[in-house]
Amino acid sequence: MTKEEKYTQQLKEMGIWEDAFAGTVHDLAILEREQARTRKAWKETAEDGGAPSPLDPHYLLILQQGRDIDRLRDALGLTPKALRKLKGTKFENAAENAAQRQNEKDAEDAANVLDFVRAKYGA
C-alpha cells in the first residue's frame, strides 16, 4: 500500500475524506519520500563511525521538510488539533452532552440521597 493510499484510507475511516484532499495527500507523500532521501544523503556525509553534522546543509533541509510535512498533515486533519477543527461542533456537542448527562445523573443521585434521609429520619 502506498503512502497516498494509506492516508486516503485513514481520512475515509475518520469520515473526513473529501476529493479536494487528493492533491494535498499526493504532495504529502512526495515530501515524505524526499525527506527520507535527504536524511539518507545527510547520513552519508558522516565520517566513518561518526554522526552527521547538524551544520550540514542537508540538516536544514530536513528541518524545513519536517515543518512542511507537519503543515500538510495539519491541513488534512491528520493531527489531533486539526481533526478537532475539521469536525468542529461534533466534538463540542459531544462534550456538552456528556456534561449535561453527568449533571442530570448528579441531580438524580442527590434526589435519591434526600429520599433516603427523609425515609430514615421521617423528615
Side-chain angles (χ1 to χ4, degrees):
M1 176 180 284
T2 67
K3 285 188 177 270
E4 288 180 55
E5 292 170 342
K6 178 181 146 188
Y7 288 131
T8 301
Q9 181 181 359
Q10 286 177 347
L11 292 168
K12 286 179 180 177
E13 288 173 358
M14 290 189 293
I16 59 173
W17 173 255
E18 296 288 335
D19 290 337
F21 290 162
T24 306
V25 168
H26 179 72
D27 292 343
L28 176 60
I30 288 173
L31 192 54
E32 286 181 342
R33 287 190 291 270
E34 287 176 356
Q35 187 185 41
R37 288 185 202 112
T38 306
R39 281 184 191 276
K40 183 178 177 186
W42 178 55
K43 288 178 182 179
E44 289 173 358
T45 65
E47 296 179 14
D48 292 336
S53 172
L55 302 177
D56 188 272
H58 288 98
Y59 186 69
L60 294 176
L61 184 57
I62 290 168
L63 294 177
Q64 179 60 46
Q65 288 169 331
R67 285 189 293 271
D68 291 343
I69 287 169
D70 289 343
R71 182 182 50 79
L72 291 174
R73 284 184 180 155
D74 194 53
L76 290 168
L78 293 172
T79 63
K81 178 181 174 183
L83 183 59
R84 283 191 301 272
K85 277 187 200 176
L86 283 175
K87 288 201 170 184
T89 57
K90 289 183 183 178
F91 285 115
E92 292 170 10
N93 289 341
E96 288 173 11
N97 290 341
Q100 184 178 2
R101 284 191 305 272
Q102 184 62 41
N103 289 342
E104 290 170 359
K105 183 179 180 295
D106 291 345
E108 183 179 317
D109 290 346
N112 289 340
V113 169
L114 186 57
D115 290 341
F116 172 76
V117 170
R118 284 182 180 153
K120 184 172 182 176
Y121 295 105

